[in-house]
Amino acid sequence: LQALHHKLEAFHVVDDRNREEAVETIRQITEALIWGEKNDTSVFDFFCEKNLLAHFVRVLGVPRTPKIIKTQLLQTLSILVQNITRDTSLYYLFSNNYVNQLIRTPFDWSDEEIL
């Protein structure tokens, strides 16, 4: 997860040249978190330590974020909510107003991919 985090940090701007790589990095982070939830709690601890959830929620709220990135981030959050079972992990996901921020985030609800 640490290598994926560094890779994610390297995306200062997501554009046509790197959007597929950014989506794949987010997808791999999701897989690592689900694996870590079941096999190695330090993976999710790293996710928390680096405040990646706050970063994901913040990126979702940026109007110029490409739709493909927003879609992947929403899928990631959905997968996490459905697959996280440890109490401490669930507490992290549902604390710190992240859910409230998501609810307040304006999305294009007419876009089927966002739904």
Side-chain angles (χ1 to χ4, degrees), residues 53-106:
L53 182 57
H55 179 70
F56 288 172
V57 171
R58 187 173 46 257
V59 169
L60 279 167
V62 175
R64 67 180 187 276
T65 299
K67 182 175 87 169
I68 192 169
I69 300 295
K70 287 185 178 188
T71 302
Q72 182 61 52
L73 287 171
L74 287 169
Q75 288 173 351
T76 291
L77 296 174
S78 176
I79 289 167
L80 289 177
V81 167
Q82 292 174 44
N83 290 283
I84 298 298
T85 56
R86 286 187 319 130
D87 289 342
T88 54
S89 300
L90 284 168
Y91 179 79
Y92 177 77
L93 287 177
F94 292 111
S95 66
N96 299 316
N97 271 336
Y98 298 129
V99 173
N100 292 339
Q101 285 178 272
L102 278 173
I103 291 169
R104 289 192 310 263
T105 301

Side-chain angles (χ1 to χ4, degrees), residues 10-15 17-18 64:
F11 295 110
H12 298 290
V13 175
V14 176
D15 55 27
R17 294 172 294 166
N18 64 1
R64 67 180 187 276

Side-chain angles (χ1 to χ4, degrees), residues 3-4 6-7 30 36-37 65 78 84 104-106 109:
L4 292 170
H6 289 302
K7 193 172 181 181
T30 308
E37 176 71 13
T65 299
S78 176
I84 298 298
R104 289 192 310 263
T105 301
W109 298 114

Side-chain angles (χ1 to χ4, degrees), residues 5 18 24 32 34 46 49 53 64 67 83 89 110 113:
H5 174 254
N18 64 1
E24 181 60 18
I34 300 306
F46 180 83
E49 179 184 317
L53 182 57
R64 67 180 187 276
K67 182 175 87 169
N83 290 283
S89 300
S110 65
E113 288 185 44

